[in-house]
Amino acid sequence: MDIRIEGLTKTFGDYTAVQVDSMHIPSGESFGLIGNNGAGKTTLFRSLIDLIEPSTGSAFIGEFETNKTDSWKAFTGSYLDENFIVGHLLPEEYFDFIASIHGMSESDLANKLAEFETLFNGEITGGKKLIRDLSKGNQKKVGIAAAILFDPKVLVLDEPFANLDPSTQIRLKELLKKLKNDKGVTMLISSHDLAHVTEVCERIVLLEKGDVIEDIKTSSETLKNLENYFSDVGKTSIED
């Protein structure tokens, strides 16, 4: 399922947070979005999945303009922050809720949760803690698992590696690679961690103050070039 962004801007008063003239993410592509704080990454994601209304322009997931219909939600999983989860539920109750929305059977849900055992590492299911009482990292595990639970065709994750311990970061990277390689999921991932995003994503877009500065295919040199770019405060091109 592909994604298109056309003439999309989002302004807050006199401040323009995002200005993307055109962007196309083909079906099955793993797409990374990077930039310093305030670059507009989260605003772009929120505009895409209809959490905020763009000031101008349009965003499409598949054939559906996301702020005009809810049809795209049936095949799109997303997790941006802890506001996406229901804190007063146990993790199992929340997974049951997500499964019921997508018409999953109990056996399908059990099989899917079994696939997350390594990611969960014995810290999520089977306990008595409500989601709101879990650590930030474990809340993120719940949110990401819920986003993947129903086998979406599109997955949108904002800073998925933040607050996770090193072992979980490695497990999550392997899970994301598997989703792309085995199931052809179109993935949009925003991250401040350059190493992780270059390892997982085959294409990377750099935002600065809401504008697309670079749009490149990931290569063996990308991480070093990105590190040089940010260490020089953006004075060089990523591909220099």
Side-chain angles (χ1 to χ4, degrees), residues 9-239:
T9 68
K10 180 60 183 178
T11 58
F12 299 94
D14 295 331
Y15 174 68
T16 299
V18 169
Q19 183 171 321
V20 176
D21 293 333
S22 178
M23 184 181 293
H24 179 236
I25 303 166
S27 179
E29 184 172 74
S30 53
F31 174 93
L33 193 63
I34 61 171
N36 287 318
N37 291 334
K41 303 183 301 297
T42 299
T43 301
L44 180 59
F45 277 4
R46 289 184 174 275
S47 299
L48 172 65
I49 60 173
D50 195 32
L51 294 180
I52 57 176
E53 184 80 13
S55 300
T56 64
S58 305
F60 297 83
I61 297 180
E63 63 185 280
F64 304 108
E65 189 170 0
T66 54
N67 66 347
K68 299 291 177 60
T69 176
D70 289 335
S71 298
W72 56 275
K73 293 181 180 180
F75 51 82
T76 302
S78 59
Y79 181 73
L80 303 192
D81 56 43
E82 60 270 17
N83 293 316
F84 276 56
I85 47 184
V86 183
H88 65 269
L89 298 179
L90 293 169
E92 291 91 340
E93 293 174 329
Y94 182 57
F95 294 140
D96 284 341
F97 170 65
I98 297 297
S100 68
I101 291 175
H102 293 278
M104 297 176 64
S105 67
E106 289 185 12
S107 61
D108 286 342
L109 174 59
N111 290 336
K112 182 57 65 173
L113 290 177
E115 296 179 12
F116 298 137
E117 284 185 1
T118 301
L119 180 69
F120 288 167
N121 195 33
E123 299 174 322
I124 304 302
T125 57
K128 297 182 179 180
K129 281 189 176 182
L130 301 177
I131 294 174
R132 67 189 176 203
D133 296 325
L134 297 174
S135 68
K136 289 291 187 182
N138 283 338
Q139 287 182 11
K140 180 157 288 186
K141 291 181 188 179
V142 171
I144 292 173
I148 300 171
L149 196 64
F150 58 96
D151 285 331
K153 296 179 181 179
V154 174
L155 181 63
V156 182
L157 300 175
D158 192 13
E159 295 292 346
F161 302 105
N163 301 121
L164 298 181
D165 60 54
S167 295
T168 304
Q169 290 177 350
I170 292 170
R171 293 167 184 148
L172 177 57
K173 282 190 289 187
E174 293 306 312
L175 176 60
L176 294 175
K177 291 176 184 177
K178 187 175 180 66
L179 287 174
K180 173 187 163 40
N181 295 332
D182 294 355
K183 298 187 177 181
V185 175
T186 307
M187 296 191 302
L188 285 74
I189 298 173
S190 165
S191 180
H192 283 127
D193 193 307
L194 301 178
H196 290 329
V197 77
T198 52
E199 185 176 344
V200 171
C201 299
E202 61 191 302
R203 176 184 170 199
I204 291 176
V205 160
L206 167 64
L207 284 186
E208 275 190 13
K209 298 180 180 179
D211 292 323
V212 174
I213 303 301
E214 300 274 2
D215 185 340
I216 61 171
K217 289 289 186 180
T218 309
S219 72
S220 59
E221 296 298 313
T222 300
L223 177 57
K224 181 179 71 174
N225 292 340
L226 286 172
E227 289 174 341
N228 290 338
Y229 179 91
F230 284 105
S231 68
D232 201 24
V233 199
K235 293 180 181 178
T236 64
S237 167
I238 291 176
E239 298 181 306

